[in-house]
C-alpha cells in the first residue's frame, strides 16, 4: 500500500465560545477542530483515506460569519493519505468467503471483493468453514494474508469509502 | 466500475499526486503513526478514543506488513532503493512487497522495465540482495 503525504487546505469553523483573549487556547481549538473534521470526513474521492495529519503549515486570518458570529479559519496542513490505484498490487486479509468470491480488508479499505472468476487456480470448497483451495498453492480462509491486484474501484459517496475489485490471477499473487 | 480512464499502476500511469507528492512505505508509516499515537497518549489519558478508525486500521495494517522495524533499517532501505532510477511509487511498492527474485520484482512493478530504466536483471538482483542484507542485520 503506497501512502502519500499530501498538502491540503480546509476551513475550520469556530463558534464564539472558543474565541478567548488568550491566543494559545485559540490555536489549540483550531487544531482540535481540524482533527475532528478530518476524522469525521474519513476520506474523499480526490485524496483517498485521511490517515493522520502530520504537520500544520499555516493558519490564516479568521473571517467572521456575520449572521452566526462564528469565525472561519483557513488552515493549510500536511496529511498522510492513502488512495487505491488501478493495476496496483496490494496486500489484504481475507474477511469472508462466499460461493461467488471472497471479501478482503486492507488497512483503511474495508470493502474489497475478488470474484470467483478471478481467483485463478483457487476454487470454492463448500462446508461448515468454506475456503478457496488450490492444489499447488494452498488455502484461502478467513485471516489469511493475500497479495492481489486492483482491477478497478469506485468511490461510494454515501458511505464515504472506496469499493475495490481485485484479482488473484497472475504470477506471485495469492497467500503470503 | 473503474478508476480514471487511463489509470494503470502497472504502467506507471498514475495520478499526478503520486508523481509529485512524497510517497511513503509501510515501515515508514508505521514509525510515523506509532509516534503520533505516543504523542496523543502523552496529551490525554484517552488516546484510544482520540484516533479515528481509519488511523487504527492503518496502524494495525502497517505494523503487520512492515518488513523493517527499526528506524535505521528503514532509512537504509530508502537509501538503497533511491540509488536506482525508480519513481517514488515504484520504490514504495518494492520496499513494501520485498520480492525475492528479479522475476517477482518485475511482476510486482512491471513499469520498472517498460520505461527502460532498469534493463538488466542483474541490477534488480543486486538491489534485492542489498535489501535482504539490511533485514539480516536488523
Amino acid at each position: 500500500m503506497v501512502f502519500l503525504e499530501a498538502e491540503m487546505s480546509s476551513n475550520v469553523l469556530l463558534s464564539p465560545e472558543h474565541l478567548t483573549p488568550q491566543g494559545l487556547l485559540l490555536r489549540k481549538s483550531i487544531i482540535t477542530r481540524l482533527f475532528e473534521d478530518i476524522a469525521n470526513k474519513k476520506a474523499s474521492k480526490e485524496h483517498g483515506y485521511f490517515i493522520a495529519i502530520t504537520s500544520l503549515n499555516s493558519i490564516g486570518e479568521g473571517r467572521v460569519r456575520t449572521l452566526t458570529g462564528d469565525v472561519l479559519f483557513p488552515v493549510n496542513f500536511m496529511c498522510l493519505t492513502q488512495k487505491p490505484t488501478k493495476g496496483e498490487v496490494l496486500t489484504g486479509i481475507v474477511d469472508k468467503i462466499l460461493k461467488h468470491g471472497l471479501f478482503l480488508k486492507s488497512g483503511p479499505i474495508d470493502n474489497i471483493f475478488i470474484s470467483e472468476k478471478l481467483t485463478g487456480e483457487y476454487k470454492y470448497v463448500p462446508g461448515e468453514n468454506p475456503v478457496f483451495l488450490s492444489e499447488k498453492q494452498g488455502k484461502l480462509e478467513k485471516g489469511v494474508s493475500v497479495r492481489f491486484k486492483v482491477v478497478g474501484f469506485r468511490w461510494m459517496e454515501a458511505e464515504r469509502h472506496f469499493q475495490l475489485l481485485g484479482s488473484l490471477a497472475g504470477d506471485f499473487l495469492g497467500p503470503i | 466500475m473503474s478508476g480514471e480512464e487511463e489509470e494503470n499502476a502497472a504502467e506507471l500511469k498514475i495520478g499526478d499526486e503520486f508523481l509529485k507528492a512524497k510517497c511513503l512505505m509501510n515501515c515508514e508509516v508505521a514509525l510515523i503513526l506509532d509516534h503520533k499515537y505516543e504523542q496523543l497518549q502523552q496529551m490525554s489519558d484517552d488516546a484510544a478514543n482520540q484516533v479515528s478508525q481509519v488511523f487504527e486500521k492503518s496502524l494495525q495494517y502497517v505494523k503487520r506488513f512492515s518488513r523493517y522495524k527499526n528506524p535505521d533499517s528503514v532509512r537504509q532501505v530508502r537509501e538503497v532503493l533511491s540509488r536506482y532510477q525508480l519513481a517514488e511509487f515504484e520504490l514504495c511498492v518494492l520496499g513494501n512487497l520485498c520480492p525475492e527474485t528479479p522475476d517477482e520484482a518485475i511482476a510486482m512493478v512491471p513499469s520498472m522495465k517498460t520505461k527502460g530504466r532498469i534493463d538488466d536483471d542483474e541490477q534488480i538482483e543486486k538491489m534485492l540482495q542489498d535489501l535482504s542484507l539490511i533485514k539480516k542485520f536488523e
Side-chain angles (χ1 to χ4, degrees):
Chain A
M1 185 163 274
V2 177
F3 295 86
L4 282 183
E5 195 179 30
E7 181 177 332
M8 290 168 50
S9 290
S10 182
N11 287 324
V12 171
L13 198 64
L14 286 187
S15 49
E17 60 258 26
H18 294 106
L19 306 170
T20 69
Q22 297 113 314
L24 278 175
L25 279 186
L26 175 63
R27 191 180 160 85
K28 182 160 186 237
S29 299
I30 296 175
I31 294 175
T32 308
R33 178 55 57 82
L34 178 68
F35 273 61
E36 278 171 15
D37 286 350
I38 294 296
N40 286 336
K41 210 169 165 204
K42 276 204 309 184
S44 76
K45 182 174 183 188
E46 183 196 349
H47 289 111
Y49 293 92
F50 304 122
I51 318 279
I53 296 173
T54 49
S55 60
L56 221 51
N57 294 334
S58 67
I59 300 179
E61 263 193 44
R63 291 199 325 260
V64 181
R65 303 278 279 262
T66 36
L67 281 179
T68 58
D70 294 337
V71 187
L72 199 65
F73 291 93
V75 185
N76 187 275
F77 57 99
M78 304 301 284
C79 186
L80 203 58
T81 60
Q82 193 281 329
K83 186 178 167 187
T85 337
K86 193 164 153 196
E88 181 181 8
V89 174
L90 285 183
T91 329
I93 303 171
V94 178
D95 186 52
K96 245 195 311 243
I97 307 255
L98 296 172
K99 188 170 64 171
H100 56 279
L102 47 151
F103 283 92
L104 297 99
K105 291 188 196 282
S106 175
I109 316 176
D110 265 346
N111 199 324
I112 305 166
F113 179 65
I114 302 185
S115 153
E116 54 87 30
K117 297 191 184 72
L118 292 174
T119 50
E121 293 179 13
Y122 292 86
K123 298 291 168 232
Y124 178 73
V125 175
E128 200 182 298
N129 235 2
V131 298
F132 269 80
L133 205 58
S134 145
E135 274 175 21
K136 290 182 271 175
Q137 294 168 300
K139 180 158 67 166
L140 299 176
E141 57 185 345
K142 189 173 161 98
V144 168
S145 305
V146 168
R147 243 191 222 170
F148 64 96
K149 188 166 265 199
V150 178
V151 165
F153 64 92
R154 72 176 158 198
W155 168 250
M156 313 287 284
E157 185 65 50
E159 297 91 331
R160 296 205 74 80
H161 71 192
F162 289 91
Q163 207 179 46
L164 264 65
L165 272 191
S167 163
L168 292 178
D171 290 329
F172 302 103
L173 299 177
I176 35 176
Chain B
M1 160 185 294
S2 72
E4 281 116 26
E5 281 318 342
E6 308 267 349
E7 188 179 79
N8 187 349
E11 294 167 31
L12 209 57
K13 282 200 195 134
I14 52 186
D16 263 348
E17 64 268 21
F18 286 102
L19 299 170
K20 288 195 232 153
K22 182 158 176 64
C23 296
L24 295 164
M25 302 180 276
N26 293 346
C27 48
E28 291 170 320
V29 173
L31 293 175
I32 295 174
L33 295 184
D34 252 341
H35 181 64
K36 286 248 144 236
Y37 196 76
E38 271 172 23
Q39 277 182 327
L40 282 173
Q41 277 180 324
Q42 284 173 359
M43 288 197 318
S44 100
D45 297 318
D46 201 16
N49 273 346
Q50 299 238 358
V51 295
S52 65
Q53 281 233 318
V54 172
F55 182 103
E56 287 246 25
K57 290 180 186 163
S58 305
L59 179 53
Q60 269 177 28
Y61 174 88
V62 293
K63 284 183 113 146
R64 180 167 175 168
F65 294 112
S66 288
R67 189 92 172 307
Y68 309 89
K69 309 282 180 196
N70 104 37
D72 280 326
S73 317
V74 172
R75 220 169 315 145
Q76 279 179 45
V77 170
R78 185 163 276 267
E79 216 178 288
V80 164
L81 290 172
S82 300
R83 292 187 215 146
Y84 301 85
Q85 284 181 299
L86 296 164
E88 284 258 326
F89 184 89
E90 296 169 323
L91 186 155
C92 290
V93 174
L94 287 171
N96 284 343
L97 300 179
C98 301
E100 294 181 352
T101 64
D103 276 343
E104 190 179 350
I106 295 167
M108 300 294 97
V109 189
S111 53
M112 207 160 54
K113 283 213 128 181
T114 60
K115 299 227 159 184
R117 284 162 293 144
I118 303 198
D119 268 330
D120 72 278
D121 286 8
E122 273 181 30
Q123 263 200 308
I124 304 178
E125 182 71 58
K126 169 116 199 3
M127 182 201 307
L128 301 180
Q129 277 174 3
D130 288 343
L131 287 181
S132 64
L133 268 180
I134 301 176
K135 184 61 192 169
K136 254 197 209 121
F137 290 104
E138 210 186 15

